[in-house]
Amino acid sequence: MKALIIKQPGEAIVQSVAEPVVKGQDLLLKVRMIGLCGSDLNSFRGKNPMVSFPRVPGHEVAATIVQGNSNLAAGTDVTVSPYTNCGKCASCRRNRPNACQFNETLGVQRDGALAEYITMPPEKLYTAKLSVKELCQVEPFAVGFHAVARGRVTAHDTVAIFGCGGVGLGAVAACHLRGARTIAVDVADGKLSLARKAGADCAIDSSQESLHEKLLEFTDGLGPDVIIEAIGTPQTFRAAVEEVAFTGRVVYVGYAKELVAYETRLFVQKELDIMGSRNALPEDFRQVIQMLEQRLFPVDDAVSAIVPIEETPALLRAWTENPSRFSKIMVSLD
Ligand SMILES: [Zn+2]
Ligand SMILES: [Zn+2]
């Protein structure tokens, strides 16, 4: 079967590899479509310290069951939770398997799904009445939904979301569903208009306008009750703490790639709740599926390109040269 392999940073090829062997209770799946996000781009560029090479990327999956079991029939379309949980670490014992100490995400710590066939444990599969294009957007949105759950967002809150990629858009949609007032922040016009369609009440283009002034204007001078950081730069990490209201909540879902220096006085003075948010729980997956089944999200607008697997190496190179050219890229394996 065909698989996309990142041989080393900057070099990806489509290669013929052996089909996976089905073990234990695992099910054999035909991969239909894979979503690529910024973390795949970082893997390709060698910027993700958790990725070793060679590596098959792909963690945003739409697939069809080939060999089913009594609960999941052959022919059923599914999406996949790409994480593992050991069951023994502190997170797993606390019933927070999304943050398992020994997690191996598809395409990161282990080979991913950008291949014609994969095998998966049945408990990692989610059925849904969704198109393949929708199925492979469930995972990034679920990560955003989880961040909103971590932030305990309610209808009384005004929430600012820094970064409107897949995760940020999921956070916008989750805040909107909870009835919160939502402010989307990004530097790209296209992402901001998409955020508005996903339910953002206000949008700030921080490359054109003052983030500080605009946030105060939208919040009667108080600052947002909750800030969700989905970018991962030192500036945005710091801005979250600086701009959030007194006694507010800050949720970090972006991975910072360098050290961040803080005015820690603000943690105390504002009595902030500062939280990390990692991956997503089964309930986050189910909530996203429900939202997409109700057609509450403009999925089609979110996809900037669909390519066959053969064109993926060239596309990864083009994306590296111009990261803002694409938002969501899909690889079709049909
Ligand atoms: Zn992703
Ligand atoms: Zn664990």
Side-chain angles (χ1 to χ4, degrees):
M1 66 168 187
K2 279 182 279 191
L4 184 98
I5 301 168
I6 303 175
K7 288 281 191 190
Q8 57 184 4
E11 188 195 345
I13 57 163
V14 178
Q15 200 174 300
S16 179
V17 300
E19 283 184 21
V21 179
V22 181
K23 294 191 200 103
Q25 306 297 310
D26 287 4
L27 302 183
L28 180 66
L29 310 179
K30 164 87 180 76
V31 178
R32 306 285 305 283
M33 195 175 271
I34 295 290
L36 296 177
C37 71
S39 72
D40 298 297
L41 182 62
N42 273 326
S43 304
F44 177 71
R45 296 160 76 204
K47 300 270 187 215
N48 184 342
M50 290 183 289
V51 176
S52 57
F53 300 99
R55 178 66 72 231
V56 176
H59 59 277
E60 303 176 2
V61 185
T64 303
I65 297 173
V66 178
Q67 276 165 26
N69 62 19
S70 49
N71 292 318
L72 290 158
T76 308
D77 291 339
V78 293
T79 189
V80 163
S81 167
Y83 324 120
T84 60
N85 42 290
C86 73
K88 298 192 180 94
C89 73
S91 302
C92 286
R93 283 171 196 232
R94 271 194 265 274
N95 205 19
R96 288 167 62 180
N98 59 298
C100 174
Q101 188 178 353
F102 305 104
N103 167 58
E104 295 190 339
T105 299
L106 285 177
V108 183
Q109 296 93 343
R110 58 182 170 140
D111 276 340
L114 227 173
E116 286 179 279
Y117 294 93
I118 54 170
T119 61
M120 289 296 293
E123 65 270 18
K124 298 292 178 188
L125 304 182
Y126 293 86
T127 60
K129 291 182 193 66
L130 296 173
S131 67
V132 290
K133 202 154 84 180
E134 291 164 329
L135 283 169
C136 50
Q137 292 190 74
V138 171
E139 191 269 345
F141 293 160
V143 176
F145 269 57
H146 188 69
V148 170
R150 290 282 289 147
R152 309 187 303 276
V153 171
T154 72
H156 304 294
D157 292 318
T158 296
V159 186
I161 289 131
F162 292 180
C164 298
V167 171
L169 283 175
V172 167
C175 288
H176 180 63
L177 285 176
R178 286 175 182 234
R181 212 162 133 261
T182 308
I183 305 168
V185 181
D186 206 298
V187 293
D189 242 9
K191 288 189 188 174
L192 287 171
S193 64
L194 196 56
R196 279 186 181 281
K197 287 183 195 165
D201 301 284
C202 330
I204 301 173
D205 181 341
S206 57
S207 70
Q208 304 292 323
E209 316 168 274
S210 158
L211 177 66
H212 179 67
E213 299 296 326
K214 279 292 185 186
L215 285 175
L216 289 182
E217 185 188 318
F218 288 140
T219 58
D220 292 331
L222 298 174
D225 303 298
V226 182
I227 292 186
I228 296 175
E229 199 285 344
I231 300 172
T233 65
Q235 299 88 307
T236 49
F237 258 64
R238 259 193 304 274
V241 163
E242 287 164 2
E243 302 300 342
V244 74
F246 274 67
T247 63
R249 283 101 75 196
V250 173
V251 182
Y252 289 120
V253 62
Y255 261 92
K257 284 156 202 76
E258 48 197 304
L259 279 178
V260 182
Y262 276 101
E263 193 71 75
T264 60
R265 163 179 70 77
L266 292 173
F267 301 0
V268 179
Q269 196 176 30
K270 291 187 174 181
E271 198 174 29
L272 299 179
D273 285 5
I274 300 175
M275 287 159 278
S277 181
R278 184 177 176 194
N279 299 343
L281 284 165
E283 64 227 50
D284 302 309
F285 278 83
R286 284 192 287 266
Q287 282 172 23
V288 170
I289 287 168
Q290 202 174 33
M291 170 186 78
L292 293 176
E293 284 181 341
Q294 290 169 2
R295 299 291 175 272
L296 295 174
F297 190 89
V299 167
D300 278 335
D301 300 341
V303 178
S304 49
I306 301 179
V307 297
I309 188 168
E310 289 78 10
E311 287 174 26
T312 310
L315 188 127
L316 282 168
R317 285 193 296 274
W319 199 9
T320 301
E321 278 157 28
N322 189 354
S324 60
R325 195 169 134 202
F326 305 98
S327 51
K328 186 94 247 159
I329 294 169
M330 303 289 186
V331 181
S332 172
L333 290 115
D334 274 349

